[in-house]
Structures are given as structure tokens and as C-alpha cells.
Amino acid sequence: MKYHHEKIEAKWQQYWAENQTFAASNTSDKPKYYVLDMFPYPSGAGLHVGHPLGYIASDIVARYKRHQGFNVLHPQGYDSFGLPAEQYAIQTGQHPADTTRMNIEGGVDKSGNTIQGYRNQLDRIGFSFDWSREVRTSNPDYYKHTQWIFIQLFESWYNKNSDKAESICTLMQEFDKNGNANVNAVCDDNIAPFSAEDWKSFSSEEQQKILLHYRLTYLAETEVNWCAALGTVLANDEIVNGVSERGGHPVVRKKMTQWSMRISAYAERLLQGLNEIDWSESIKESQRNWIGKSVGAMVSFKVIASEAKQSIEVFTTRPDTIFGVTFMTLAPEHELVSQITTPEQKAAVEAYVEATAKRSERERMADVKTISGVFTGAYAEHPFTKEPIPVWIGDYVLAGYGTGAVMAVPCGDERDYAFANFFKGTHGMPAIKNIFNQDISEAAYGEKGGFELVNSDFLNGLDYKSGTKKAIEALEKIGAGNAKVNYRLRDAVFSRQRYWGEPFPVYYVNGLPQMIDKKHLPIVLPEVEKYLPTEDGQPPLGNATVWAWDVEKSGVVSCELIDNVKVFPLELNTMPGWAGSSWYWMRYMDAHNTEEFANEEALKYWENVDLYIGGSEHATGHLLYSRFWNKFLKDRGYAPTEEPFKKLINQGMILGMSAFVYRWEYGVNEGENRKVIFVSKNIIDKSIKAGTELINEVDVLNNIIGNQVIFSSKTAWSHFTPIHVDLSVINDITNELDIEKFKSHPLYTDYKDAEFILEDGKYIVGREVEKMSKSKYNVVSPDDICEEYGADTLRLYEMFLGPLEQSKPWNTAGITGVSGFLKKLWRLYFDDNGSVIVNDEPTAEMYKSLHKTIKKVTEDIENFSFNTSVSQFMICVNELQQLKCNHRAILEPLAILVSPYAPHIAEELWSALGQESRNFGTIATVAFPKFEEKYLVESEKEYPVSFNGKMRFTIKLPLDLTAAQIEEIVMADERTQNQLQGRTPNKVIIVPGKIINLVG
């Protein structure tokens, strides 16, 4: 009876689906365990073998927990809104909903391409997902709840006194009683004070405008990353090296009216919450750095000769250095720049501001070498000395960090020091002031200890701590500053100028946002003719013809009916990709609830995620926003816990082994009579060993090619380029290129007439380990592995590659060993004629091998060390094979042990065992074997018996014998007498449990 993985896997996948084997209950008496994967974005490229790595690990844990008697929730869904689908729709003319559905469900698209479909690919790997709870963030029955959560944020404010979000009604009640004098809120700066009488006298519109300054989601003019080519705002993590991650398009900073989320209100709670969760220290540190807590002071510097009596507000962590301020620097985007710049400096300042707008914030933060700036011509007044301080702009200051202004103290800060020295001697840059009793001739003194303040008036002789305290007291006394805790974390821009995202449930009356009542949700994404911005620059929803809100009919109507009396315009922006992913784990708890995002009882039962597995690239995006939304929903009484994810594991990447061919183009003049040759890697390697420079050297071409190509003496140019080559045209074992396949491949039709320089008749490609990516043609499909070797082999092999958290290269050649292991496992249960199971009592060695494995596998799963479990399985099967074990008492628990890792074969083995006796059914919920120490306790020891230090034979003896008893047995042994040849040893050395040595 042979092991046919394809039949076995199809059989059990069908069984699980038909019997809803992995459906979780919301009312179970069992302890709960919630294991979750970061859900995938369903692209047309489908899965490659790197994608399932985390899913396999989480599935092992989910199955193990079921074996342990837990009610396990292990759901899956799709993060199906986003820019990639929209860009594909623009390119192909297909609706994003159609392409997204096709990418999930599979089929043949409008272009005739066969799409495997994520669902089919995931099912084929045998995951124990509860598919009855599937969610898709782009489905209206899902995003109606995302819209509802947005409304709750709009209807909330953050009360610093209670340290939580509260209904906006409580704020309005306070305004009605006492005005805003005693309100301690997270809100916009510089809100004018008003009394209760003032509030009551304000019109409804005036009150709405005031409330916008307090709401947790609000409209404001914000500095954003604008990508004109994509027609949308991008988040910082969507920009790489100053261009869009998708498409590599230019990105500039510009001001736009946007929806924002007041995540900054939760900065301290987000920081403190990290102490309560089991996450890796690296991820926690990433979030701490992103939140960026700083303790210091706010200082106000009055602008000299300002008719409007403007002031520059600065946050500093070093108020003790106030007397060392040499100049000030504003971010180029700072609102005061245009107001205070003098006419003489206007042209230079405007040119600098325009140039800075083309650089992303991330690029500016990372660039510590470039020094640039412009003097505004304006001066500010020192709060104590009243001396004029020149005001500059520089792109190392960011508008959104702190106040967008710094008081530059070059003697104590390296960047200020470099800036001052770079512009030394120019108009508007005074000499550096030194306020430390330390030498600063070569560098700034940036330490917070080891100095006394000098040239600092009333702070002279003080250190950092006492100087800081006294400086703040003095600033507060003269009304020029106060103590302040600051955070780097900024409010999150929540608008996107895209089509394929959640519509806002918002319409506008006289320019003021109004929320649509919950009972009218969802506001469904409308049809549009094209997905690009309108000709006048409006977002794609500006193309919708039916996109207005009728307040009497409470429905969406034609835009032609807008009269701003009964029919009003709807919001044209959509929500960002992180909107739907910021609460999805709660929807899984009660996925079919049409009235609420989840029932209170279900939320209370599941509470939060026990184990979350996903990529580290989401450290400061998804994970931070998720924690924010969860805390907000907890504040408003909708979520049961503060933190969404108790334990987080970041899986590493599976890297691909890319292949390269080496193209040489040459000719008389570039672009004329171009000739192309491909040179084998082994020839290039020989040239490199000889120390020859390869790139753009015609004489080297001659040396490598020899007489194989007639080379013109007029050759004037050449280009050497390594090119990624599709793995389908090479032999993955020998690295030999199939030249005919290469020439006929659709990707390489330009090279059908190219010449190939071979060695020994072969073209050898280069290999390099890189990120697995479709663009690098190094993707390995899990479907191909499942087809040839089986899903269980794929699962075991991905775990066997190394520790879950580490990145590791994929090598298909290594998979045969795992495939062979499963066949060995099968042969313990079956021979060619069928089952070989016997009911005999196993030997002690068989029990020992089994219980070693129970112990190891249990510990490994609990510690998420899955790779070493696979090694132990292999050891155990080899041992049992040598012991000729086909004993039921050993093989039943072994099948359960293997089940989390290789569930299909385990089910088949269990089924075969059950058919002979108790008709077991599925193995999925059978109790996990328990380790028993007694089977590993050694009762005997195999001693090496040595004569004068040389081992001659071994003898197995009980461990409880004394040294005298051991000596008596050894001396009576025939082999000992043969060695001694009648002699009496001078000394017999015996250490019970260790050695026996006869000397002399």
C-alpha cells in the first residue's frame, strides 16, 4: 500500500470542509485560544512559497491547541482594499472589485489569464482556518462597520482628566455649563477661550467649527506626501528613497485639507501598553522610537519688528542651554516662514522651500551629511537677554515634529554645530556661543553631565538637572515658557485621493462635515467611469455621477440634484488601507452580525488575540494603528481589552535563489549596429580571478571572447548588464541555461539572435539569494510543490528551513529529504499489502524513542521552535524503523504528534488505525500525548570496558550496582579473561554509571 499524497490530501481537505472541522464556537465551555495571521492582500500574482511560512506556524499552534482541549479560533480573510488593485484597474480597464474577487476565488480574467485564487492555494496547503468567518475589507457588509467606527471617532474627544476618549456630548455639556476654561483636552493649539454664555450665543455652524478642534477625527490643513503620478496622498511607509514605493514616482510635500486621526492623544498609553504585551524587543523599540517621548520645555521667542506680534514656539529637551542659542531654524513648511521673511531674502527662501517640497520627510531625516539652509532676514528676541537671534530655515527641521522650529545651540548639538560652521561668516550667522566649561573647538559638547554652565547669567555654575529646573521656573515666571512632555508621534492623515477604499459616511453642509446615521450604512462605493482624478484635480470619486446625499430620502442621489438645501455633496476622499485592518480581529469574533461589528458576548468570550503572526514591516504602521483603535473602542465601551494582541511573532522571509545571465552589448556608436552576446558565468569568474575589470571594457571583451566573435576595431562602446532570468529556463540543480528555451521565452524575444559564449558547451547562470519577488523571476509556487511532493512535505520543509523569526533561502533541492521522511513514516504503518499494525506490548526502547519525541515536540511548539521538531520526527522514525516498531501503542500517539505539522498524512494514518478497532474519525481534536518521565529513566548502562585506557568491549549492566558488584561481574566475563591472559591487574578503576578501566 503506497503513499499517494495527492489522493490523501484531497480526501481530507474535502472532509474538513464538509464537516466544518475547524469551526469555532462562541459559547464553548472549553478554554479559548485565538490565533491569528496578518491577513493577506489578494494580488493577482498569488502566493509564493514565502507567503505561507507564518500561516504554517500559526496552523501548527492552532492544531496543537485543539489537541490540548482548547476552543480555537483560527480565522482568515482578505485585506482587499488598496492602491495596487486600483492601479491594476487603471491599467487594464477592469473594476477593482472584479479583479479582487478573481484574485481571491480564482478563474479566468478578462485578459484570458488563469488566476489560481488565494482561497484555492490556501486550501491546498491544508490550513485549519475557520472559513465560516471569512472577511473581506472591501465588502459593504464589512466596511459598514468601519464607517461606523469612523463616526464614533468623530463623535468623541479625549479627556485628559479621565485619560480616555469620551462622547462629544460630555464636552458640549461642559461648554454649556462653564465654557472651555476648565477643559483639559487633547485638541488643536491656540483655541480662543469662551464662556458658557458665549457658547450658547454661537450659531450652530460656529459651534461645529469649535468642536472640530476637539474631535478625535477632524478636518485640517495638513502637510502631506503628494504623488501626482498616482494622484493620491501617500503614508511615510509608502515612500522609499523619496519616491513612491509603487511605481517609483516623485513625491512632494504639500498642504491639503485632510481627515486626520488624533492618535497623538494615545501616545503615552501606547507607550506604557508595550510593557504589558509579549512582543519582541525590536518591535517594541521601533514603536517607542516612533512615539518618541521627550521631556523638556516650551519656549516662546518673539519675532522682532513683527506687526502681528508673532512668536516662534519651540520645544526643547535642553532648557538649561537657553543662553547658548546662537540662531533659530524653522522647517521650510513652517507657517511663519512666508510671514517673516524679508523682501531681500524672499527669492532665496521661496526657491529653497520649493526644492525641499520634493524631498520626503524620511529622506530628510536620514540625510545627516547634507547641510543646507537659507537666512530669512528676520530676527527673534531672546526671552532673557533680549538680544536679536537670526531666524533661518533648514530642511533638517520637520514641520510635524515638535513645533517645526528649533532654538539652535551649536555648542551643545552636533547638527546645529555643523550648520553654524557651514554658514560661518555669512550674513545672519553669528559666532557660536559656548556655555559649557568644556572645549568645543573641534566638536559640540552634547553630554548631559560632566560640565558646569558658564556665560549663562543666573544659570552659571549649575549642571544639567538643576539648570533645567531653574530655567523652566524662570521662563514660567516671565510668561515665556513652561514645562512640557512632547511626543514625536503625529496625528495620522486619514484621507486618500483614491477610488478603491472605504467611502466616508460624510456629507457637507456649508463646508462643514455631517455624519450619516448608522441606520443608513453602508454608504456603498459608487460606480465611476474612470479611476483617475478629475480634470480639475478632484479625487476619483469626483467622477461619480450619483454621489450626493438627500437628507429627506436619506439616500445617495444624482449629483445634479445638489441644491445645498435638501441635497448635499458627499466626501470625495476614501479611507486609507489601514482603516479596515485596524479592527478586523474583532469582526472574526462575530463575522455575520449585521447590526454590530461584534456582539458583546462574543467580544467578552474571545477578548483579544492570544497569538498574532506576521511581518515586521508593519511595526509602526498597522500594529500602532490597531492598538490605537482598540484602545479607543475600549474607552467607548465596545472592546473588552486595552491591547489587541497578547503575543506577537514576526516571521522571517523565505528568500529566493535568483538566476542571472550576463549580457554584453557593444557597437561602433551607442544604439548603432548593436550586437548582443551572453557570456557564461564560469568564464566571467575566470576573468575575475585573473583580476580583469569587466564593465565597459572593450579590450576585456576581446580577451574573453577570443576568436569566437569577429570584433570590429571600430568598436567604441560596450555595456555589461546582469539580467534576472526566469527559473523555468534553467536547470535548478546544475545551473545550466537552456538556451533554446531562453530564446523562445516571451520575456526574452529581443535576444533570439543573440550569441552565447559557452565553456565546455554549457552556459552557466549566476545565482544570488534575494527577496522572493515576481519582478526577480525567483518565485517558487506552493502549487508546484504541493503537486509534486504534497502539502505535508511543503509544511514540514518550510518549518525545517530554520527558526521561524529568521530569513532563510529557499532551495527546492532540499525538499526531497523531507518527502523521503514522510514515506518512511508511512512504512511504519503499511507495507505493500496493507496495514502492519500489531497490538503487542512495545519494548522499552520504543517507549523511550516515543517519549523523547513527545517531550521535544511539546516544548518546541510551546517555544515556537518548529524547525527542531521536524528534526526530532526524523530521528524518531529512524529509531522506530531500526527497532522494527509497528506497535499500536507507539504509532497511535506518533500520528497525533505529527498531526499539527503534517495533518493530511496524520489523518490517513489515524483513519487506518481506527478502521481496525474503534473508528476514530478525525484526528484533529484527539488529546495530545503526554510525556512520561519514567520512559526516559535509564535502568541500565552500556559500559565501555578499557584495558590500560584502550576500550576493548562493552558490557550492559544495571545502574544500581555498586563498584564492587561491577568489578565482580567484569572480572568473571570471558572477554576480560581473554584480555588478561592469566595476569592480575594492578588496579581496577570503576566509576558507577561512567567508566571501567583495568590497569596493568
Side-chain angles (χ1 to χ4, degrees), residues 726-857:
D726 195 297
L727 299 183
S728 66
V729 299
I730 69 167
N731 183 312
D732 209 27
I733 307 299
T734 65
N735 295 327
E736 183 180 350
L737 179 72
D738 187 320
I739 295 173
E740 293 309 312
K741 268 190 179 181
F742 175 81
K743 287 182 175 182
S744 61
H745 194 287
L747 288 171
Y748 312 115
T749 52
D750 287 352
Y751 308 125
K752 62 180 183 296
D753 297 324
E755 297 187 53
F756 289 78
I757 307 304
L758 316 178
E759 185 172 29
D760 299 328
K762 297 177 180 178
Y763 186 103
I764 303 300
V765 299
R767 303 304 297 264
E768 187 176 324
V769 174
E770 299 182 287
K771 179 181 178 180
M772 195 171 279
S773 167
K774 194 176 181 183
S775 65
K776 302 180 191 301
Y777 309 113
N778 63 357
V779 166
V780 177
S781 169
D783 299 345
D784 296 339
I785 302 300
C786 291
E787 182 74 29
E788 186 169 356
Y789 299 101
D792 285 340
T793 298
L794 173 68
R795 292 168 64 104
L796 284 165
Y797 184 58
E798 293 217 5
M799 293 298 97
F800 188 53
L801 284 172
L804 178 62
E805 295 90 343
Q806 292 181 9
S807 293
K808 45 261 179 185
W810 177 270
N811 183 359
T812 302
I815 205 165
T816 55
V818 174
S819 177
F821 155 73
L822 287 175
K823 291 172 184 174
K824 276 188 180 181
L825 174 66
W826 183 263
R827 298 298 286 185
L828 290 177
Y829 296 78
F830 302 99
D831 64 12
D832 291 343
N833 299 314
S835 173
V836 293
I837 305 296
V838 298
N839 293 317
D840 300 351
E841 179 63 20
T843 66
E845 286 302 307
M846 293 174 187
Y847 276 120
K848 180 180 177 182
S849 182
L850 172 67
H851 281 269
K852 275 194 306 183
T853 305
I854 295 172
K855 184 175 190 290
K856 178 66 175 161
V857 172

Side-chain angles (χ1 to χ4, degrees), residues 355-375:
T356 302
K358 298 174 182 176
R359 303 183 74 202
S360 70
E361 285 195 359
R362 183 172 290 183
E363 185 182 359
R364 286 161 59 182
M365 290 169 69
D367 185 4
V368 296
K369 295 180 180 179
T370 304
I371 299 172
S372 67
V374 176
F375 177 44

Side-chain angles (χ1 to χ4, degrees), residues 277-291:
I277 50 182
D278 184 7
W279 292 15
S280 71
E281 196 54 38
S282 61
I283 293 292
K284 287 183 178 183
E285 197 58 27
S286 293
Q287 293 212 352
R288 289 188 188 107
N289 292 336
W290 195 261
I291 296 165

Side-chain angles (χ1 to χ4, degrees), residues 1-147:
M1 186 172 174
K2 291 186 177 180
Y3 169 51
H4 295 289
H5 66 78
E6 63 282 359
K7 293 180 181 178
I8 291 169
E9 290 173 359
K11 168 187 172 181
W12 287 103
Q13 287 164 15
Q14 182 179 352
Y15 176 91
W16 296 330
E18 290 176 352
N19 291 277
Q20 292 285 289
T21 304
F22 308 118
S25 168
N26 283 1
T27 57
S28 174
D29 293 331
K30 296 178 180 179
K32 70 95 181 181
Y33 193 83
Y34 187 174
V35 56
L36 181 64
D37 304 290
M38 291 185 185
F39 60 170
Y41 178 83
S43 70
L47 295 174
H48 60 63
V49 292
H51 292 125
L53 180 67
Y55 302 161
I56 295 168
S58 66
D59 198 55
I60 289 169
V61 175
R63 289 176 177 275
Y64 169 72
K65 290 293 184 179
R66 286 192 197 93
H67 285 305
Q68 286 197 316
F70 284 83
N71 179 29
V72 176
L73 176 56
H74 187 209
Q76 187 59 283
Y78 305 96
D79 193 7
S80 49
F81 267 136
L83 185 58
E86 182 167 323
Q87 289 302 111
Y88 188 68
I90 292 169
Q91 293 163 10
T92 63
Q94 300 181 72
H95 196 287
D98 294 335
T99 58
T100 299
R101 183 171 55 254
M102 183 68 68
N103 292 341
I104 292 172
E105 299 171 8
V108 178
D109 68 11
K110 290 181 179 178
S111 301
N113 301 310
T114 299
I115 308 297
Q116 292 299 321
Y118 268 60
R119 175 61 190 271
N120 298 326
Q121 290 187 291
L122 291 169
D123 280 346
R124 194 167 187 182
I125 302 172
F127 295 120
S128 62
F129 294 135
D130 181 354
W131 282 114
S132 69
R133 297 172 186 252
E134 177 195 308
V135 301
R136 302 181 189 183
T137 59
S138 58
N139 280 1
D141 61 0
Y142 179 87
Y143 68 69
K144 69 177 285 187
H145 302 292
T146 309
Q147 292 173 339

